[in-house]
Amino acid sequence: MMERPFAITLEVGSSRANKTGSWRTQRPVYVDRLPPCNDACPAGENIQGWLYRAEEGDYEGAWRVLMEDNPMPAVMGRVCYHNCETACNRANLDEAVGINAVERFLGDRALTSGWRVGVDRPGRAGRVLVIGAGPSGLSAAYHLRRRGHAVTIYEASTASGGMMRFGIPAYRLPRNVLDGEIQRIVDMGVEIEFGHKVRDLMIEMEGGGYDAVYLATGAEIARNAYIPAGDSARILDALSLLRSAEGMTYPQLGRSVVVYGGGNTAMDAARTAKRLGASEAIVVYRRTRDRMPAHDLEVEEALEEGIKMRWLSTIKKADAEKLLLEKMELDATGFPQPTGEFEELEADCVVLAVGEEADLSLLQNVPGLDMSGGIVHVDSTMMTSYPGLFAGGDISQAERTVTAAIGNGKKAARHIDLWLKSGGMQAGLPGDPSDKGYHQAPSGERHRIAGWGDLNTWYYSDAPATVRLKLDMVRRQSTFDEVVLGLDENNALFEARRCLSCGNCFECDNCYGVCPDNAVVKLGPGMRYEFDYDYCKGCGICASECPCGAIEMVLEET
Amino acid sequence: MAVAYRQVKFYQTGSFAVGGRLLDTPERTVQSGMTRTNALTLGHRACQGCGEALGARYVLDAAMHATGNKVIAANATGCLEVFTTPYPETSWQVPWLHSVFGNAAAVGSGIAAALRAKGRTDIRVVAQAGDGGTVDIGIGCLSGMFERNDDVLFVCYDNEAYMNTGVQRSGSTPPAARTATTEAVGDEPGNPWGQGKDMPRIAMAHEIPYVATATVAELHDLEYKVEKAMEYRGARYIHILVPCPLGWGSEPADTIRLARLAKETGIFPVFEAEKGEVIAASKIRSKVPVEDYLSLQRRYAHLFKPARRDDVIGAIQDSADRNIRRFGLLGEV
Ligand SMILES: Cc1cc2nc3c(=O)[nH]c(=O)nc-3n(C[C@H](O)[C@H](O)[C@H](O)COP(=O)(O)OP(=O)(O)OC[C@H]3O[C@@H](n4cnc5c(N)ncnc54)[C@H](O)[C@@H]3O)c2cc1C
Ligand SMILES: Cc1ncc(C[n+]2csc(CCOP(=O)(O)OP(=O)(O)O)c2C)c(N)n1
Ligand code: SF4
Ligand code: SF4
Ligand code: SF4
Ligand code: SF4
Ligand SMILES: [Mg+2]
């Protein structure tokens, strides 16, 4: 026996002998929740994931995470209507994170730095035909190439991009940016046959030797509105106006131009008319501003540029140099009704922007397709009822945006890949969670969304959104130079760091710091933390004080 | 008045989180470090969610950090002593001396005198006690330590009652709070109204070099104050609010939230003073009514049920508002 001081009978021991974990009735567990921005992105981007890298100044890493889902960040950062920002939790604190602005910064960085992606899985080749080199076709081609498939695109026109080139004006999407991002996809080994208009898809499918087809021909027929018109009235449609602006063969519009319609196309047409020399551009729309389908931001920018709006009006008759308008009023259901009150409006030309339709004539000989409502219907794997024929983008859906078109292309590519892998037997499971760009729970289930209530916002300090500069008004009205300027590195970093990292640990050390029982083990930078269940008493402080809701308390089984 | 410590205007987590991968190391807390002392190690027997266990680790780890790991701690009887050292186990990973209930300050003074005699100016002394061991039975020894300006940092972990012996009231128990000795009965239920003992201001009256208050909710502020206190020689006093789930009847998970609410309501003013004068106070970030704080604690349940006691809640609000005026707690954060 060891010598001990007087009256000391036991050796000194550490309290570590006392496994206080046995007191626990509930245990903390680390979770990854689905950030609402990711959930809202029509292209299924892992926004929180790429912002996380951007926060560290690792822009290339951020861009690579982004590219997993969307091959056109620089385009996206300009034309996307950013549903993500509408869903962003930070809006409850001050203002939404400027996700779209950071995305553009990353996209531009990639173009100036020449970053590229390669083929992830070479040598598993199937042969896939894509019809239409718009955003949806290009996205599908990109994702199929990354998975090692050979891709050929048939494109009717002489240039790629679809509505990104022939619809969206250059002041919103500079063509060098568009060209740069398309070229990067082409460089991965995508064949594009220009001037190849598909007139009968059945013939192409039977003759081409392709294993699967992705149909992405968009919605390019301008809808008509019947207006009684005098002989000398000038009426044209918005799509041809925008298309000719792209071709630099500017049409004669006259001094005063009236645009008929309330969507984004109407806004673009009016703003383009102004740039082509019209001294006045007036949008005539039959409902009120809040009912306009055009995005608020675009209406805002149009108003700033001096575009005038006539709400609650329809065009009854068009003559040379003047129009007859009828005033409307909304009935109880919000539908516009004629009032019988008329007025005249000076106009040298009317531009119709009342919607676009898909040309479905190429599908006439494909048996059994559901084309009700003027769109091609697909199942949850993006396949039509004709085996091996997939479709997406404007031709298949009501949400007609570049972002949704890109998201469809990605999803279709995944399912085409699975379909080819299974020898044409089965596509992916419907509603497969990996259609979205977030980590998958081990169970294969979708993660629960990290809502505002899951956050402990005490820990986030106030920081208002960086506002993108707008081009000087005068310069903007007469040129096709880009209107919204980008962020520089400083404010892009600032903006990225405004992200609350909803539902995903960002290594703030809170749980490690606040545990009264030292039961959180810090594993080191990038490796997160672990609970020491031998000692964790299950008090729940770590879960309450996690800023981003990445810890959940679950009951212990007794 | 100045802000108590430099707040990092950092966009994702401000100065409030424990650490953060995006912060430079000096801007992270000691607690965020993988090599912190863990003065109190695993296996201690404090209740789930104990604010005192947390506060003591915060304080001693910061003191160790500030002194190059040269700290001796003295500890009064109370929960902190009992849950860390049931014979023959100890949770302490610093040199630590047990004293009796009322004399931690005197023991601290003694250690300081011994170190002085040995010429060891590098080793520093921290004496610590609960609110009972500080404001009640310990106040005589403590006042003497202040008066002699002994080179000791005295830390009071204020959980507002004698918790270790079963939640009896102390001179630091707030008005209207129910304890085992101030039951919620009669016209004026709970602890009777009076001034209590405002120990930080009593310490300031001794005009010692440094006095500060803090809570377990604001770690950067707490560590800043401990490290600053270690820069002085002479008597220093830090008073830390440490919620006690058992005594307060609160959820263990709410310990930090309650400490935060105590500050944000104005109930517990967080400030620092040099030589008897307040030099800085932590501003309230977003003011909330005292009810938000009271209603989370069963020791105040009688203010809400069976009948709502707006008179009492109002009186508590008035005393919070008095703190806000006295210490200038509102304004730019
Ligand atoms: C003026 C305007 C502005 C817009 N602004 C925005 C915006 O800011 N943000 C946004 O998100 N969305 C915007 N949109 C909508 C967006 O452009 C479309 O939703 C998107 O381009 C649809 O992509 P897609 O690939 O399905 O079709 P498209 O972009 O229409 O591409 C279809 C491609 O298929 C080709 N093609 C068609 N038929 C055939 C055929 N038979 N054979 C071979 N090739 C064929 C076409 O030439 C074209 O290249 C705008 C649309 C317009 C008209
Ligand atoms: C002289 C003396 N009287 C009474 C006690 C019993 N006793 C031990 S701890 C304690 C109360 C401790 O209260 P506090 O100092 O507030 O510490 P807490 O337990 O609340 O942390 C009492 C009354 C004692 N140990 N010695
Ligand atoms: S704060 Fe960040 S993670 Fe949360 S919704 Fe906004 S962008 Fe997404
Ligand atoms: S704070 Fe510590 S003891 Fe409490 S639940 Fe979390 S890990 Fe367990
Ligand atoms: S508290 Fe901080 S470090 Fe811990 S899980 Fe949450 S985000 Fe990660
Ligand atoms: S009674 Fe209170 S102070 Fe004592 S160990 Fe429990 S929670 Fe901590
Ligand atoms: Mg006490």
Side-chain angles (χ1 to χ4, degrees), chain A residues 23 43 46 49 76 94 126 134 143 149 223 295 301 323 331 410 432 441 444 494 538 551:
Chain A
W23 304 10
N46 181 2
M76 217 69 282
D94 41 39
H143 286 287
H149 301 289
R223 212 171 271 156
H295 272 264
E301 285 181 7
L323 303 175
D331 64 18
K410 171 182 105 174
D432 192 325
F494 178 90
I551 303 176

Side-chain angles (χ1 to χ4, degrees), chain A residues 28 511 514-517 519-520 531 535-543 553:
Chain A
C511 49
V514 301
C515 174
D517 290 278
V520 176
F531 292 111
Y535 297 98
C536 162
K537 292 172 186 160
C539 67
I541 293 183
C542 53
M553 297 303 293

Side-chain angles (χ1 to χ4, degrees), chain B:
Chain B
M1 251 183 297
V3 184
Y5 61 103
R6 193 174 79 83
Q7 287 196 355
V8 187
K9 276 287 173 197
F10 188 64
Y11 342 101
Q12 187 168 61
T13 55
S15 316
F16 305 104
V18 168
R21 70 199 161 96
L22 302 176
L23 283 175
D24 293 335
T25 312
E27 283 164 353
R28 302 182 194 175
T29 61
V30 172
Q31 284 304 309
S32 74
M34 294 175 75
T35 56
R36 69 186 190 202
T37 305
N38 280 329
L40 238 77
T41 192
L42 300 157
H44 64 70
R45 289 162 155 83
C47 306
Q48 292 162 323
C50 173
E52 191 166 77
L54 187 58
R57 192 186 78 223
Y58 283 175
V59 167
L60 284 168
D61 284 5
M64 288 287 277
H65 180 77
T67 58
N69 300 329
K70 290 183 176 164
V71 169
I72 296 179
N75 208 125
T77 306
C79 277
L80 182 60
E81 181 254 0
V82 170
F83 69 63
T84 55
T85 51
Y87 178 75
E89 288 168 14
T90 179
S91 308
W92 294 99
Q93 307 202 100
V94 292
W96 181 90
L97 266 86
H98 165 51
S99 69
V100 295
F101 185 23
N103 72 346
V107 171
S109 295
I111 301 169
L115 290 169
R116 196 174 60 240
K118 296 189 110 183
R120 293 299 301 265
T121 50
D122 54 331
I123 301 175
R124 309 299 303 276
V125 185
V126 177
Q128 42 185 6
D131 49 296
T134 304
V135 313
D136 291 342
I137 195 171
I139 198 167
C141 295
L142 183 58
S143 180
M145 185 201 108
F146 288 162
E147 194 262 322
R148 293 185 301 273
N149 201 24
D150 291 331
D151 189 21
V152 176
L153 167 62
F154 192 97
V155 181
C156 170
Y157 301 107
D158 185 5
N159 53 20
E160 303 188 328
Y162 294 5
M163 297 311 179
N164 176 51
T165 41
V167 198
Q168 296 83 13
R169 86 169 280 283
S170 79
S172 191
T173 300
R178 181 209 63 195
T179 67
T181 48
T182 56
E183 292 287 358
V185 292
D187 292 342
E188 295 198 351
N191 193 38
W193 281 78
Q195 299 311 318
K197 297 190 195 175
D198 188 343
M199 197 61 207
R201 290 172 70 231
I202 294 171
M204 280 166 64
H206 290 76
E207 304 207 346
I208 55 174
Y210 189 66
V211 172
T213 64
T215 78
V216 285
E218 276 176 53
L219 179 57
H220 285 267
D221 176 67
L222 184 151
E223 289 190 350
Y224 157 84
K225 285 167 178 169
V226 172
E227 300 204 12
K228 184 166 177 187
M230 297 321 270
E231 289 167 9
Y232 295 84
R233 292 282 165 177
R236 291 142 286 146
Y237 179 74
I238 301 183
H239 190 102
I240 301 176
L241 185 71
V242 290
C244 164
L246 182 90
W248 296 14
S250 54
E251 286 303 318
D254 281 343
T255 292
I256 290 180
R257 176 184 306 173
L258 280 169
R260 189 155 56 227
L261 285 168
K263 183 217 153 201
E264 293 292 285
T265 51
I267 281 183
F268 187 85
V270 176
F271 63 92
E272 54 179 338
E274 281 174 347
K275 293 207 162 70
E277 279 176 50
V278 175
I279 57 162
S282 300
K283 301 287 184 191
I284 289 172
R285 230 173 130 204
S286 64
K287 189 173 183 287
V288 285
V290 294
E291 186 170 343
D292 290 13
Y293 172 72
L294 304 175
S295 59
L296 293 173
Q297 307 172 50
R298 284 196 302 284
R299 64 175 170 158
Y300 293 113
H302 54 276
L303 303 185
F304 302 96
K305 268 194 299 199
R308 219 185 124 84
R309 292 295 300 265
D310 280 318
D311 54 337
V312 183
I313 298 169
I316 296 173
Q317 184 67 57
D318 287 347
S319 62
D321 291 343
R322 189 179 61 167
N323 282 336
I324 290 172
R325 280 194 308 276
R326 178 181 279 160
F327 294 97
L329 301 180
L330 291 179
E332 266 305 288
V333 178

